[in-house]
Amino acid sequence: MEVTFINPGVDYTIQSIMRFQAEGEAEFWSEPLYHFYPQLDRTFAASLPVAERRDYIERTMRVAYAELKNTIDEKVISYSHHWNACKAQITAALSEAFGIDCTGLFNDLRCNLSLNPIEPRFLKEHCYDTFYLNSAKGAIGGGIHEIIHFIWFYVWNQLFGDNYDEYERPSLKWILSEMVVESVMRDERLSSINPYFPRENGGCVYPYFFDMMVDGKPILDTLDAMYRSQNIEDFMRSSYAYCQEHEAVIREHILKSEAAWTSGTRSGSFSSFPISISV
């Protein structure tokens, strides 16, 4: 595996940001931008018509990019150095987890350093974004999360022969892929180099999974027990069947958690933000 870190430029950054500022987008995804860039006046932005709001955000973020470009360029170098130091153990751990030799897989991954606090990944294009405020260790920790997705769906697609378009938010296959990251990340070779692991350090999955209860038990515990007792193909089959059986409960919990998160940020009681999503 190989990851090339790049500064994709201001136009790409604006495009990435705007993906999560669309009319009707849940504040769970749109609100973090205003937290990290207080020069954006959320109240003023909300008062504008959609087109004017987008223009306002773009103008403001272009100024921010001009001020931060040198910092982003410096981080490209530091992230690359840290990846090279960790690459061998990441490759070995993921090869074991997925039962395939990952050495020759995904040697063309690209990581775009962006001003966007939400970090999308693009399976077909073999690329993902990382927020420029990450430390080098944080960028690699978040990068492992994304690389797990690439390999998960590579193996999944060979097993099920379905379509990559089915792997995106808000499909159940996307939800499952986000939940299983924690089990894979428990490998000492991965967890030891991920500053967001364990949960007390922020966690490597969305926080609304932590307290998701299904059949009277935390769903992450149920999935982890499956993962520990089965090979990866059997785990994919059984975990997806389990999620299908309980899909209504899973989705209801996510909706309620996103709404509660939004309410919490309004009152100032929540301090964490979603910064890694699959798109």
Side-chain angles (χ1 to χ4, degrees), residues 85-128:
C86 299
K87 176 171 59 177
Q89 72 189 78
I90 294 171
T91 302
L94 295 181
S95 294
E96 184 176 319
F98 289 98
I100 57 174
D101 183 2
C102 292
T103 305
L105 286 179
F106 297 109
N107 285 325
D108 59 347
L109 290 175
R110 185 177 74 252
C111 177
N112 300 304
L113 277 68
S114 171
L115 300 186
N116 188 2
I118 308 295
E119 301 175 340
R121 59 100 178 116
F122 306 92
L123 293 173
K124 294 179 181 178
E125 293 81 1
H126 290 189
C127 70
Y128 66 94

Side-chain angles (χ1 to χ4, degrees), residues 22-129:
E23 185 73 5
E25 181 63 88
E27 291 187 8
F28 184 77
W29 305 114
S30 63
E31 186 70 17
L33 185 71
Y34 296 96
H35 171 80
F36 287 103
Y37 300 100
Q39 61 266 49
L40 281 170
D41 186 323
R42 178 170 52 80
T43 302
F44 174 68
S47 72
L48 297 173
V50 175
E52 292 182 26
R53 184 188 314 146
R54 293 175 66 87
D55 287 344
Y56 167 64
I57 293 172
E58 178 173 345
R59 288 195 308 272
T60 305
M61 296 311 298
R62 284 185 180 276
V63 172
Y65 177 87
E67 296 171 349
L68 293 167
K69 180 182 181 301
N70 290 341
T71 299
I72 296 172
D73 290 339
E74 291 168 1
K75 292 210 168 184
V76 165
I77 297 171
S78 66
Y79 291 3
S80 298
H81 287 165
H82 199 60
W83 162 256
N84 287 329
C86 299
K87 176 171 59 177
Q89 72 189 78
I90 294 171
T91 302
L94 295 181
S95 294
E96 184 176 319
F98 289 98
I100 57 174
D101 183 2
C102 292
T103 305
L105 286 179
F106 297 109
N107 285 325
D108 59 347
L109 290 175
R110 185 177 74 252
C111 177
N112 300 304
L113 277 68
S114 171
L115 300 186
N116 188 2
I118 308 295
E119 301 175 340
R121 59 100 178 116
F122 306 92
L123 293 173
K124 294 179 181 178
E125 293 81 1
H126 290 189
C127 70
Y128 66 94
D129 290 6

Side-chain angles (χ1 to χ4, degrees), residues 73-224:
D73 290 339
E74 291 168 1
K75 292 210 168 184
V76 165
I77 297 171
S78 66
Y79 291 3
S80 298
H81 287 165
H82 199 60
W83 162 256
N84 287 329
C86 299
K87 176 171 59 177
Q89 72 189 78
I90 294 171
T91 302
L94 295 181
S95 294
E96 184 176 319
F98 289 98
I100 57 174
D101 183 2
C102 292
T103 305
L105 286 179
F106 297 109
N107 285 325
D108 59 347
L109 290 175
R110 185 177 74 252
C111 177
N112 300 304
L113 277 68
S114 171
L115 300 186
N116 188 2
I118 308 295
E119 301 175 340
R121 59 100 178 116
F122 306 92
L123 293 173
K124 294 179 181 178
E125 293 81 1
H126 290 189
C127 70
Y128 66 94
D129 290 6
T130 195
F131 189 32
Y132 87 99
L133 279 180
N134 271 306
S135 66
K137 291 181 179 180
I140 298 308
I144 296 170
H145 176 115
E146 303 306 336
I147 293 169
I148 288 171
H149 288 320
F150 285 106
I151 302 174
W152 170 271
F153 282 120
Y154 173 83
V155 175
W156 179 284
N157 187 260
Q158 290 188 325
L159 181 63
F160 292 103
D162 49 7
N163 193 299
Y164 267 70
D165 293 336
E166 300 174 32
Y167 306 158
E168 308 303 342
R169 180 171 71 107
S171 77
L172 190 63
K173 294 174 184 179
W174 172 77
I175 293 172
L176 174 61
S177 77
E178 294 292 344
M179 289 194 285
V180 302
V181 167
E182 185 175 76
S183 291
V184 178
M185 197 77 74
R186 289 184 187 277
D187 187 307
E188 175 67 19
R189 290 167 292 185
L190 303 178
S191 62
S192 64
I193 57 174
N194 184 353
Y196 300 124
F197 190 93
R199 296 177 191 178
E200 291 75 15
N201 292 344
C204 59
V205 299
Y206 296 124
Y208 51 55
F209 293 134
F210 296 156
D211 61 350
M212 182 181 288
M213 304 293 289
V214 176
D215 279 343
K217 296 179 292 185
I219 193 170
L220 293 184
D221 291 352
T222 299
L223 294 177
D224 189 61

